[in-house]
Amino acid sequence: MSRFFDLVSKPAREMGLYTPVPPASAQAVTSPRLIKLDSNENPFGPSARAVEAMKLAIADSNSYPDDDCGAVCRALAEYHEVPVDQIMVTAGSTGLLSLLCQTLLGPRLNAVTSERSFIVYSLAVQAAGADLIEAPMSGDTFDPGSILDAIDKNTRLVFLANPNNPTGTMLEASVIEKFLARVPANVVVVLDEAYYEFATHFATLRGEIYSQSLEYVRRGASAVVLRTFSKAHGLAGLRIGYGMGPAELLSYCAHMRNTFSVSSVAQAAALAALHDQNHIAQVVANNVVQAAILAEGLKAAGIRVTPTSANFLYCDVGREATTFASLLRDEGVSVRPLGPWGARNCIRVTIGTPEQNQFFLAAVQKIGGRQSNGQATSI
């Protein structure tokens, strides 16, 4: 028995650790030329306007930040046409995930999501002393019926990552609407839209309706919509995201929030990034073009690719993914093997710049692609 085993909480003893891919700065020490396509980051970085705002904010680093992120909340309220008391800014959207779990969950309660979804859901639920129930998927897509069947009298939260990480699949607005109509009154649905900008662009091109989530917020539904500045805006290193939902619920979450959790630099960058639509347009345009190029190249290598609505591809490489990823790393590319998600033959690869993607495809060809006769699908 270790010294602190009987002193720490049950979640601290039993829950696993999230193992993120090392940041580019750390990987550069051992692999200075490594192309990092493993964390769904924006390969173009933040906009010039956001960088300039960060530089100006650094001069005031001796002062504590606005604890309520008032300027950011007001800007988001105007941008989304949502009352300001229905918005909460946190240290990344994962910060609000944790607050929701701390506020609504506890021992003998549970949250429900799908299998092969965002791995942080499990960590946040376990940290609150509750249980996470994972419903079966239908292929690589959420099965709303299975998720509804998993809800019981002890359920307080349902997590829907839309698009889903790591599969990149999306549920259309009509499906979400029907789902919400069947969710019991004791359950809050978290619509995690971290990849909103990419999904909106893909849906428009495909003639689909992606999200009507803000309508749920405006009418006071028991739903919280999560968005982030980490992806399309390129501010992952600053940790700033936000949620929109019922004002009363968010006020309870605020009671659980750490003081000064969002830095003044992050707030300044988010304000500038929010309105730089030219930068966002360039990012999402590159994403949709390069997604098709990557899918075609992977298809030629015999790798099955699931059509994506995000900034990454979910790929079945037909062999053990950890070994495949290791071989790619030897060629200078880092991708994410998905064994921890229960997909031992799959990798997730971020859609990078044209140059990065061509280097990745050349590396795939060099190591041999898929070692089976599986057929790929196009984007």
Side-chain angles (χ1 to χ4, degrees), residues 36-327:
K36 196 169 179 294
L37 302 179
D38 48 33
S39 297
N40 303 345
E41 295 156 333
N42 184 333
F44 298 103
S47 74
R49 289 170 60 177
V51 171
E52 185 61 29
M54 286 185 254
K55 291 178 181 178
L56 294 173
I58 288 173
D60 294 324
S61 293
N62 60 305
S63 300
Y64 288 110
D66 177 0
D67 191 38
D68 294 321
C69 303
V72 182
C73 285
R74 290 189 293 273
L76 288 168
E78 180 179 358
Y79 185 78
H80 291 302
E81 299 181 347
V82 169
V84 71
D85 63 353
Q86 289 190 264
I87 297 174
M88 186 173 184
V89 177
T90 54
S93 58
T94 54
L96 189 48
L97 277 176
S98 295
L99 291 176
L100 286 165
C101 290
Q102 294 170 37
T103 303
L104 290 168
L105 298 177
R108 295 180 296 279
L109 298 176
N110 69 66
V112 175
T113 191
S114 173
E115 64 181 352
R116 276 186 289 156
S117 195
F118 189 31
I119 205 163
V120 173
Y121 299 152
S122 176
L123 302 179
V125 169
Q126 289 180 68
D131 297 316
L132 182 68
I133 299 172
E134 296 183 342
M137 274 189 152
S138 176
D140 294 329
T141 305
F142 287 165
D143 183 343
S146 294
I147 295 173
L148 287 166
D149 289 343
I151 296 172
D152 62 28
K153 62 183 178 62
N154 296 318
T155 303
R156 295 294 180 270
L157 284 167
V158 168
F159 300 115
L160 291 181
N162 195 36
N164 182 45
N165 178 12
T167 62
T169 49
M170 182 198 87
L171 295 179
E172 290 193 62
S174 60
V175 176
I176 298 291
E177 181 79 23
K178 293 175 183 176
F179 177 85
L180 290 176
R182 296 179 59 192
V183 173
N186 61 292
V187 176
V188 174
V189 177
V190 178
L191 298 172
D192 188 346
E193 297 183 344
Y195 302 94
Y196 174 83
E197 292 82 5
F198 303 107
T200 299
H201 195 59
F202 275 116
T204 299
L205 294 175
R206 295 166 179 164
E208 301 169 342
I209 299 176
Y210 160 50
S211 174
Q212 296 175 332
S213 59
L214 295 186
E215 292 302 317
Y216 313 143
V217 174
R218 296 182 187 115
R219 73 188 189 207
S222 292
V224 176
V225 179
L226 300 184
R227 302 275 177 88
T228 184
F229 288 97
S230 294
K231 305 304 179 184
H233 299 88
L235 302 180
L238 296 185
R239 308 309 302 129
I240 182 165
Y242 59 101
M244 298 171 281
E248 181 185 1
L249 175 58
L250 294 183
S251 71
Y252 286 124
C253 290
H255 296 168
M256 312 295 288
R257 182 182 59 194
N258 289 333
T259 306
F260 305 129
S261 58
V262 182
S263 74
S264 54
V265 175
Q267 293 181 46
L271 277 172
L274 180 65
H275 296 291
D276 195 342
Q277 292 304 307
N278 287 336
H279 182 71
I280 298 298
Q282 292 170 6
V283 169
V284 298
N286 173 81
N287 189 74
V288 74
V289 170
Q290 292 301 311
I293 290 171
L294 275 178
E296 188 62 30
L298 290 166
K299 178 181 178 180
I303 291 174
R304 183 177 69 85
V305 178
T306 298
T308 190
S309 291
N311 70 336
F312 57 85
L313 298 180
Y314 179 81
C315 311
D316 183 344
V317 299
R319 52 172 147 162
E320 208 282 318
T322 301
T323 301
F324 188 85
S326 180
L327 292 170

